[in-house]
Amino acid sequence: MKIKHYPDDVSQNFLKLRNQLISATGKAIGDYNMIEEGDTVLVCMSGGKDSHAMLMILLALQERAPINFKLIAMNLDQKQPGFPADILPAYFEKLGVEYRIVEADTYSIVKEKIPEGKTTCSLCSRLRRGIIYTTAQQLGATKIALGHHRDDIVQTLFLNMFYGAKMKAMPPKLATNRGEFMVIRPLAYCAEKDIAAYARGMQFPIIPCDLCGSQENLQRQKIKDMLNTWEREQPGRINNIFRAIGNVEPSHLADFDLYDFKHLSQAKEEDEDPMFDHEKFSTNDMALTITTQDEKRIEFARKPFPVTISIEE
């Protein structure tokens, strides 16, 4: 059965947005070689907008890709009170995709171990990760796809800098500790606002995450608010930060394990700071020149520039 990828009554603007997201996802997959011939990809479905968008976009790419790969949608039922356990199975059946519903009562463990009012995300994440890896092993999956997008990656960078004193984000592709699986983030190039607009147009059956309670005071929400404020002040700033994550110059940071500062005697050409590149920056290019020099003082002054006046007849 051919999968129906969007409602009948969508606008041209929606189709344009959809194509942009598919293109960005395809580019991320290609740039990082996320999916290869014969892969079985376990698509982790929380029921939120991001995982819904990821699954639908991967299905669209699967139809047009020059390679063959398999998709298995997986939802982890954590036994939260009031969790609508019937929604995703019904949706997967309607969509016609292979899926697994994994039941594991992580909710009671988190509630037992984490004091009331404290953030549950860390423990919940560790428990989920172990269950996902075990499920991937059982199903013979070679890749595990998570729905983190560009904004998630940038937020994680600032979380680690502000609260962990470490320059670390979410990589688009990551090998697990024992090397059994490869974790991929196909939406790495996609902006959250575009995914949200796409999800609204698709009318996905969204399931919110209620385990944490109110998210308003969590550290990630504070970082998100900060970044959104910056984006309003200067549109494009979040994308520039994301691009910087993939455009690193180790010689211009301060990690001596990453770059051998201790034995640095002469910079390589690619490490040279343009400010001190005397060979490329000749004295003829300088706007200032030395006019006075003695034992205690060196004085620069602006060079006189010739002025050419052209008078049209």
Side-chain angles (χ1 to χ4, degrees), residues 41-199:
V41 183
L42 187 67
V43 184
C44 297
M45 294 289 298
S46 66
K49 68 181 190 313
D50 305 327
S51 62
H52 271 296
M54 175 177 63
L55 175 62
M56 191 58 70
I57 291 171
L58 287 177
L59 287 168
L61 288 170
Q62 186 184 42
E63 288 187 356
R64 65 183 70 177
I67 60 172
N68 295 307
F69 59 93
K70 181 180 180 181
L71 299 174
I72 304 176
M74 187 211 85
N75 172 249
L76 173 57
D77 181 354
Q78 299 176 264
K79 299 304 176 183
Q80 299 167 239
F83 178 74
D86 59 319
I87 289 182
L88 283 177
Y91 176 70
F92 295 147
E93 290 286 351
K94 181 180 178 181
L95 205 55
V97 300
E98 184 175 349
Y99 70 93
R100 296 293 189 283
I101 302 299
V102 179
E103 299 184 17
D105 187 2
T106 63
Y107 178 84
S108 62
I109 298 174
V110 169
K111 286 301 184 182
E112 177 186 326
K113 300 295 183 183
I114 303 297
E116 192 69 31
K118 297 293 184 179
T119 300
T120 61
C121 297
S122 178
L123 176 58
C124 184
S125 177
R126 289 201 303 273
L127 293 170
R128 282 202 316 269
R129 186 161 57 243
I131 295 165
I132 290 169
Y133 289 175
T134 301
T135 302
Q137 187 177 46
Q138 292 294 312
L139 296 176
T142 51
K143 304 288 172 61
I144 299 171
L146 304 179
H148 299 120
H149 45 66
R150 181 203 67 181
D151 298 52
D152 287 324
I153 294 171
V154 172
Q155 290 162 22
T156 302
L157 172 70
F158 281 91
L159 277 168
N160 284 318
M161 285 197 298
F162 288 177
Y163 301 105
K166 194 167 190 175
M167 193 165 288
K168 174 184 173 184
M170 291 175 173
K173 184 179 180 181
L174 175 69
T176 57
N177 290 340
R178 291 186 293 179
E180 293 179 89
F181 314 106
M182 199 70 67
V183 175
I184 60 174
R185 296 182 169 95
L187 300 182
Y189 289 174
C190 299
E192 182 176 21
K193 63 179 179 61
D194 293 336
I195 293 172
Y198 172 66

Side-chain angles (χ1 to χ4, degrees), residues 252 259 266-274 277 279-280:
H252 286 55
Y259 187 83
Q266 183 174 356
K268 301 175 185 177
E269 183 176 352
E270 62 268 22
D271 294 337
E272 181 65 84
D273 191 320
D277 193 351
E279 292 183 2
K280 295 181 181 178

Side-chain angles (χ1 to χ4, degrees), residues 119 155 159 162-163 215-225:
T119 300
Q155 290 162 22
L159 277 168
F162 288 177
Y163 301 105
Q215 300 270 337
E216 296 303 316
N217 295 319
L218 296 181
Q219 293 168 344
R220 181 173 288 274
Q221 184 62 45
K222 294 178 182 178
I223 295 293
K224 183 176 181 177
D225 292 342

Side-chain angles (χ1 to χ4, degrees), residues 1 8 66 86 102 127 171 239 302:
M1 180 181 69
D8 294 326
D86 59 319
V102 179
L127 293 170
N239 195 51
R302 292 182 61 176

